[in-house]
Amino acid sequence: MTLTLAPPPVRSSKYLHAISTPETLLTAWLQVRNNAAARGELPKSIETFAKCAFDQIEELSRQLRTGTLELHQLTPVRIKKPHGGVRQLHLPSVRDRVVERAILNEISPVVDMKMSPMSFAYRAGTTTGHAAQTLRELGTEGIEHLFRTDITDCFGSIDMEAVIALLDSWINDAGLASLLRQLAQRSVRGQNGAYPGLPQGAPLSPLLSNVYLTQFDNAVSNRGVAMVRYADDIAALATQDSSLRDAEQIIEEEANRLSLRLSQEKTDRMDFRSGFTFLGHMIVESEERDHSRPPERQTVYVARPDAIVRIKKGRLIVSAKDECLLSIPQSRVERIVTFGPVSVSAGVRQWALYSGVDWACLSARGSYLGAVVSHRNDSVRRRGRQFQFSTSPFANSMARRFVQGKMSNSLALLRRYSHRVDSGLIAKTAGLVEHAYRDLDTAKSHASMMGLEGIACARPHRGVSSDCG
């Protein structure tokens, strides 16, 4: 049985145009094949597709471009879990997997920018180790108590139409939304009606689950709860046992709001003093510092008005009234920032210019006055190229992407430290940044984009930083 729906013509859809090219589909096919090969012997379905892969890809490309794509039913497969039990998968056909993988490759970079910094699964460059390390870092902030839980039947409980609507609000592409709705209409072999939820085993399902759960992540963050989530595994933290009970209630309320249920059997309380395991990583209150990594270069800030900055025997030294305030190897210095009437020796200036170390000068109140930048510093050449590029027809598009990246970073910072700030302020500030992000799509000049950047990044962070202080 096949399912055919006609999405809008490909010319009206940026993403359908990109997904439907033979090059994109070929890349997706190679990923599908390599993923199957990594699990052992190639299934017959993969071998069959491989025999006429180029013809299949050309036909897929044609169907996507003309809106005549035929999709197949999902195949139910039961596999054994590593630690006992059985997992039920619903696998798409090989050609459907190629289409899903092509969609995944095209939308992942854009969608990832919208996700919470406290979500670590199914994202490029993040692992269970990053989630565990974030928990360790939170443990150093005086947070002692923690509870763990997970979402029961997470993929199967997610409303696909709600996911598509949310995704469409992020990227606004009717053609892609129509294609996703077509995928959502697939049934399971031997069953009637569309499969409810996200099929486990489909290439797109992990990303779409993250899209749906971003609402949950942000809602919990807006209410001031420190949380780390890896797929359906959740760890929430609090400074006191009473606060932990409040965090549990907030987590459950926000999950229920999205028609998700927490597993009571897998919910447990623990603390950093006793230690616990999360995603296979042991986490305890104090751990040995990793000395195998080379020390990072640092920015040196000097704000004392009677301070003197000099160099001696390979070290940068900051002193005042015969008192040594700082002594650091010159090789560890990346930048110097001085506030007000700080004395900087000629030797430091010469060394900084020769070594490519920037020196920024600010007033005592923090207003930017200027900078001494070495000709060896890449930023000088970069700014020259940026100036030449500023009149290019691509400049506005590039500037918009840069500002979107900055705004995404601002949101990530707000979410990361939400537990240290009043929850009402976090929600208000995040809303302001998200509103400015949407307005970027209609900004037509560098000046208007810079104005939106200022609204989204400067004002909110002044309010949040003062509340943290």
Side-chain angles (χ1 to χ4, degrees), residues 173-448:
D173 191 295
L176 177 62
S178 181
L179 178 56
L180 292 174
R181 288 191 174 91
Q182 186 175 351
L183 291 168
Q185 292 301 312
R186 291 175 296 183
S187 61
V188 178
R189 290 183 186 276
Q191 300 179 19
N192 296 322
Y195 177 77
L198 301 176
Q200 196 162 3
L204 259 180
S205 292
L207 176 73
L208 296 181
S209 72
N210 262 347
V211 170
Y212 189 73
L213 289 172
T214 296
Q215 306 168 92
F216 170 78
D217 299 335
N218 292 345
V220 171
S221 172
N222 287 349
R223 296 179 68 175
V225 176
M227 181 189 73
V228 171
R229 182 178 64 79
Y230 192 92
D232 57 358
D233 284 304
I234 299 168
L237 306 96
T239 54
Q240 299 177 359
D241 190 60
S242 58
S243 301
L244 189 63
R245 287 193 293 271
D246 293 338
E248 288 185 54
Q249 183 176 348
I250 289 171
I251 294 282
E252 187 168 10
E253 288 175 358
E254 296 302 336
N256 292 341
R257 200 183 306 275
L258 296 176
S259 301
L260 302 173
R261 292 184 299 107
L262 301 182
S263 170
Q264 297 302 318
E265 295 78 13
K266 296 182 180 180
T267 298
D268 193 18
R269 291 191 181 192
M270 52 206 67
D271 61 73
F272 284 88
R273 291 181 181 178
S274 304
F276 57 92
T277 301
F278 183 66
L279 304 172
H281 297 266
M282 186 62 193
I283 299 174
V284 294
E285 188 173 40
S286 61
E287 295 186 336
E288 292 287 332
R289 182 175 176 179
D290 183 3
H291 293 283
S292 63
R293 296 171 58 187
E296 296 180 356
R297 298 179 70 195
Q298 299 177 356
T299 298
V300 175
Y301 295 91
V302 187
R304 187 161 163 170
D306 58 344
I308 299 173
V309 185
R310 56 192 174 90
I311 52 175
K312 183 178 180 181
K313 296 182 179 181
R315 301 184 74 86
L316 182 79
I317 298 172
V318 181
S319 58
K321 297 180 180 179
D322 298 327
E323 177 188 0
C324 181
L325 305 175
L326 175 71
S327 177
I328 183 174
Q330 289 173 239
S331 60
R332 294 273 305 279
V333 179
E334 183 174 43
R335 194 180 192 204
I336 301 171
V337 180
T338 59
F339 297 78
V342 174
S343 298
V344 178
S345 72
V348 171
R349 293 196 295 269
Q350 183 177 0
W351 161 74
L353 287 170
Y354 182 80
S355 304
V357 175
D358 290 352
W359 169 26
C361 304
L362 284 72
S363 72
R365 292 179 176 271
S367 299
Y368 179 75
L369 301 177
V372 178
V373 182
S374 168
H375 74 284
R376 295 173 179 268
N377 195 306
D378 287 341
S379 65
V380 175
R381 292 188 291 271
R382 183 172 66 249
R383 287 168 187 167
R385 290 193 293 269
Q386 286 173 347
F387 180 78
Q388 293 174 343
F389 181 75
S390 63
T391 57
S392 161
F394 302 104
N396 269 1
S397 176
M398 186 67 73
R400 184 174 288 107
R401 285 300 182 93
F402 279 136
V403 177
Q404 284 175 335
K406 286 188 172 184
M407 290 184 180
S408 294
N409 288 341
S410 293
L411 279 171
L413 190 64
L414 287 169
R415 304 294 185 200
R416 170 65 177 80
Y417 293 102
S418 62
H419 60 285
R420 297 171 56 181
V421 185
D422 176 75
S423 58
L425 179 60
I426 283 290
K428 179 180 178 181
T429 304
L432 182 62
V433 177
E434 289 167 350
H435 183 76
Y437 190 101
R438 290 192 295 271
D439 286 347
L440 269 178
D441 290 336
T442 57
K444 296 182 179 179
S445 68
H446 290 178
S448 59

Side-chain angles (χ1 to χ4, degrees), residues 137-153:
E137 292 171 0
L138 289 167
T140 66
E141 298 180 17
I143 299 176
E144 298 180 2
H145 302 277
L146 172 144
F147 88 94
R148 291 177 47 192
T149 187
D150 76 359
I151 300 170
T152 300
D153 187 24

Side-chain angles (χ1 to χ4, degrees), residues 120-139:
F120 294 91
Y122 317 129
R123 303 177 69 177
T126 62
T127 64
T128 58
H130 292 98
Q133 182 58 30
T134 300
L135 275 183
R136 293 188 185 102
E137 292 171 0
L138 289 167

